[in-house]
Amino acid sequence: MKAYYYDNLPGDQRLPHDSGNTVPVEDLSKIGVLYYNVSQLEGVNELASERGYKNRDEITVSPEKMGDVYEAKVKSFFDEHLHEDEEIRYIRDGAGYFDVRSKDDQWIRVRLEKDDLLILPAGIYHRFTTDESNYIQAMRLFKEEPKWTPLNRSGELDANAYRKEYVSQFLN
């Protein structure tokens, strides 16, 4: 895992966009983002039990697996959004980037690869993209039935109960 401020320069979203300003894992935890390196599936099972994750599935994001919809899907994942549930991703293979908003609303880019596990709290604005390899395989963990409902950022979304709770707990 490597975390740093996104450079905001134009160019393909799958490029590193590394500003050179690193972000320590401790700073990620201050905005509710938790990181683990887990080399064995047993470690994921233990974390799932501790945090009450009852369901899981696996997804492969690549042109080979997704066919003609790949480019459109990767672009849609990159739309800034939040979820009303934690987002938990355990990278099984490949690599990609999660971008999360800092306390001052800048993008922090988190590069993940095999054995990295990231937990995003409900209500945090974020986005995702593969890297230049166009391939990532990830396990998704869920507290209840699997669901992935993105709520794209808008002015009205600031009134969302999950967003308000996130702001109260991590940004104030």
Side-chain angles (χ1 to χ4, degrees):
M1 186 278 291
K2 179 180 180 184
Y4 51 87
Y5 283 97
Y6 187 83
D7 66 13
N8 290 311
L9 296 175
D12 190 321
Q13 68 194 39
R14 292 169 278 210
L15 295 174
H17 288 279
D18 189 341
S19 67
N21 296 320
T22 60
V23 175
V25 71
E26 299 80 25
D27 288 0
L28 291 176
S29 67
K30 290 176 186 173
I31 57 170
V33 176
L34 304 177
Y35 168 76
Y36 302 88
N37 183 271
V38 186
S39 61
Q40 300 293 323
L41 192 55
E42 185 54 40
V44 175
N45 294 338
E46 289 172 15
L47 186 66
S49 178
E50 289 169 16
R51 295 186 66 88
Y53 304 144
K54 300 178 191 135
N55 293 297
R56 63 183 72 182
D57 67 10
E58 292 205 15
I59 183 171
T60 300
V61 179
S62 73
E64 293 74 26
K65 285 285 186 183
M66 301 175 85
D68 293 341
V69 302
Y70 172 76
E71 288 294 334
K73 270 295 191 197
V74 168
K75 291 211 182 308
S76 75
F77 295 154
F78 203 63
D79 289 335
E80 184 173 6
H81 62 277
L82 62 77
H83 300 285
E84 293 182 337
D85 297 306
E86 284 185 340
E87 183 164 346
I88 307 97
R89 297 294 181 268
Y90 175 54
I91 309 307
R92 306 295 307 257
D93 197 18
Y97 301 106
F98 275 90
D99 296 340
V100 296
R101 288 289 187 181
S102 68
K103 285 189 179 216
D104 58 356
D105 214 32
Q106 294 184 63
W107 283 118
I108 297 172
R109 175 153 276 198
V110 182
R111 177 179 169 77
L112 299 175
E113 48 195 40
K114 186 176 182 343
D115 296 337
D116 289 336
L117 187 147
L118 195 70
I119 301 173
L120 302 181
I124 191 173
Y125 286 123
H126 66 282
R127 60 191 184 187
F128 169 80
T129 189
T130 56
D131 69 0
E132 296 168 274
S133 73
N134 292 309
Y135 173 79
I136 192 167
Q137 180 184 6
M139 177 184 293
R140 305 184 298 181
L141 293 100
F142 306 91
K143 288 192 174 186
E144 300 301 330
E145 287 302 310
K147 67 178 179 177
W148 188 84
T149 306
L151 302 174
N152 288 343
R153 188 170 186 172
S154 68
E156 302 86 59
L157 203 52
D158 288 336
N160 175 284
Y162 294 91
R163 177 64 185 166
K164 288 169 84 173
E165 175 61 27
Y166 174 78
V167 169
S168 172
Q169 186 172 357
F170 295 106
L171 302 185
N172 289 335

